[in-house]
Amino acid sequence: VTGVQTCALPISEIAAFLLDEAADTGSDELALTQEAIARSIGSAREAVSRSLKKMNKDGSIQISRGSIRILDKRRLYEMMNTF
């Protein structure tokens, strides 16, 4: 089933992954690369990059080099059920 996620933006999968990581680490500041997220959810890094940029633009996360800060958990939960 490789290639399915490369067409669509894997926003719901990323939202779920970020929320799980935040729960596991007890922090909204996550030391993650786009490549690590892509491997974890089984998606292409380019699709993850586009999705993270969209999520950053709407204010749900803040992207820094090698880290992601969750700014709006409620919005991430909504993304899990919308996309």
Side-chain angles (χ1 to χ4, degrees), residues 58-77:
D58 79 10
S60 56
I61 62 170
Q62 179 181 23
I63 303 170
S64 301
R65 189 165 201 71
S67 71
I68 296 171
R69 177 183 296 252
I70 296 174
L71 301 175
D72 189 346
K73 284 186 179 179
R74 185 184 61 79
R75 179 76 182 114
L76 290 182
Y77 280 109

Side-chain angles (χ1 to χ4, degrees), residues 18-44:
L18 295 177
L19 289 166
D20 285 345
E21 287 295 305
D24 289 348
T25 63
S27 175
D28 289 344
E29 182 78 30
L30 307 172
L32 293 167
T33 63
Q34 294 175 5
E35 185 64 36
I37 295 169
R39 280 193 312 268
S40 295
I41 67 169
S43 185

